[in-house]
Amino acid sequence: MTPGPRNLITDVSGLRVGNAEDRALKSGTTVLTADTPFTASVQVMGGAPGSRETDLLAPDKSVAKIDALVLSGGSAFGLEACSGVTEALRAQGRGFAVGPARVPLVPGAILFDLLNGGNKDWEQNPYAALGRRAFEAAAETFSLGTAGAGCGALTAMVKGGLGSASLVLDSGVTVGALVAANPIGAVTTPGERHFWAAPFEIDGEFGGLGVDTAVGLGRDLASRRMEAMQRLADGAKLPDERANTTIAIVATDADLSKAQCQRMASAAHDGIGRAIVPAHMPGDGDLIFAASTNARPMGDPSELAAITHAAALCLSRAIARAVWLARPEPGDLLPCISEIAG
């Protein structure tokens, strides 16, 4: 397995990704789409998810393919980003045909970034416009780090962000991941000079900082993020629920069914568990979409095992890349790891 030419989810041929963000808001939206509908499913393992139209992705539901997937900041307000994407697709005449009508199918998921130092005093929900802008910006190359849905993301100790990575299997199948990392847990080990995902790094893609050789790790649950958010709350008690989340998409060009996509999403959650400590907490909304462009027939059904493993590896690397590529901006609550690790 080696990274694709871009080391992005768009190494899966036919996929495009667009970002839109508002720097003053410290939030944004990321959209994955393709020129034609694609197969998708989902798996949720966090205790506090926020999502739209995920039920239709279950293997037993009748909808076969969708038009786009949305990752967005903004908590519940961010679900409106899907509406902006739906309107843009409708303007192109795309969507599920119901007689003469067309209904674009756009599932999405959100993360909580309402207490990150950005200006949230809007009069009109900004996320529909952000969703449409992100869709219209969709391309094979796109920004990582402080961009799109990761614009205002935070981890326990340092800034989060938007990340992506890919792998090409020996069979020629391509697998990729796209993630907005905003977890309650830490992406770095204590000291913020090493990534939990360090064993999976390829060619210094997130700094080449190496593996933490300390033992007994994982027991320290300190969080600069929660301390900073508590200060912004001005003394009001913050609930643990719905204040975090890692939301992601894994994708492949292998011809997978909805059920097989769901299996890929399930396996990819291991990538979160390997890159974030702790993960899948009651207050996390951890959710992974899985998509297939159905472009490459699988010669052997057993190849699904390699595809699902690659999805988990890509996601761990994408999470670390999201944090490594985050950049400092005015009003930040937390430092970037690049400032700490040098």
Side-chain angles (χ1 to χ4, degrees):
M1 298 182 186
T2 58
R6 303 181 191 90
N7 200 16
L8 298 173
I9 195 170
T10 48
D11 286 328
V12 176
S13 181
L15 295 182
R16 293 176 284 113
V17 172
N19 291 326
E21 56 278 315
D22 182 323
R23 299 295 175 190
L25 185 67
K26 283 189 179 293
S27 188
T29 297
T30 297
V31 176
L32 179 141
T33 190
D35 291 332
T36 57
F38 53 91
T39 303
S41 193
V42 68
Q43 184 64 268
V44 182
M45 291 190 68
S51 59
R52 167 171 158 161
E53 290 202 298
T54 51
D55 281 356
L56 62 81
L57 300 179
D60 64 327
K61 299 302 184 288
S62 60
V63 169
K65 299 192 177 187
I66 62 169
D67 300 291
L69 290 166
V70 174
L71 307 178
S72 183
S75 190
F77 302 103
L79 292 174
E80 276 303 296
C82 298
S83 297
V85 176
T86 299
E87 289 296 328
L89 284 161
R90 182 177 182 271
Q92 294 183 0
R94 294 181 57 182
F96 182 74
V98 185
R102 290 275 177 173
V103 183
L105 301 175
V106 184
I110 49 86
L111 55 81
F112 182 93
D113 58 5
L114 299 182
L115 292 174
N116 66 356
N119 179 10
K120 315 300 183 184
D121 189 24
W122 65 71
E123 292 185 3
Q124 181 177 354
N125 188 322
Y127 287 97
L130 286 169
R132 183 157 193 159
R133 278 175 46 202
F135 175 81
E136 292 172 346
E140 292 181 338
T141 59
F142 55 97
S143 296
L144 300 180
T146 307
C151 179
L154 304 171
T155 75
M157 303 303 285
V158 296
K159 283 187 70 171
L162 186 77
S164 190
S166 70
L167 284 171
V168 180
L169 282 60
D170 293 344
S171 65
V173 166
T174 301
V175 177
L178 175 69
V179 63
N182 184 64
I184 193 172
V187 175
T188 51
T189 64
E192 293 85 64
R193 294 185 180 275
H194 301 277
F195 285 101
W196 290 108
F200 312 108
E201 185 175 16
I202 300 173
D203 296 332
E205 62 192 335
F206 41 90
L209 304 176
V211 177
D212 195 332
T213 59
V215 296
L217 298 174
R219 294 177 293 171
D220 184 359
L221 300 182
S223 175
R224 289 195 191 105
R225 169 188 177 155
M226 292 306 296
E227 293 171 0
M229 289 172 60
Q230 189 64 65
R231 289 194 296 272
L232 283 181
D234 197 25
K237 186 181 185 304
L238 295 177
D240 293 332
E241 293 80 12
R242 306 185 75 84
N244 317 279
T245 289
T246 298
I247 47 179
I249 303 168
V250 292
T252 183
D253 53 3
D255 186 13
L256 303 187
S257 66
K258 285 177 74 176
Q260 289 170 322
C261 281
Q262 188 178 62
R263 176 46 47 195
M264 180 167 66
S266 298
H269 272 283
D270 287 349
I272 292 179
R274 295 167 186 163
I276 299 170
V277 178
H280 303 136
M281 301 295 284
D284 280 315
D286 297 343
L287 176 153
I288 299 176
F289 295 109
S292 166
T293 61
N294 308 108
R296 180 183 287 271
M298 283 201 301
D300 185 340
S302 66
E303 191 172 9
L304 182 62
I307 292 169
T308 57
H309 174 55
L313 292 176
C314 285
L315 187 49
S316 289
R317 295 164 50 227
I319 290 167
R321 293 190 80 200
V323 173
W324 177 247
L325 294 171
R327 59 186 180 273
E329 294 192 333
D332 283 349
L333 296 187
L334 299 181
C336 296
I337 187 175
S338 57
E339 298 175 287
I340 297 171

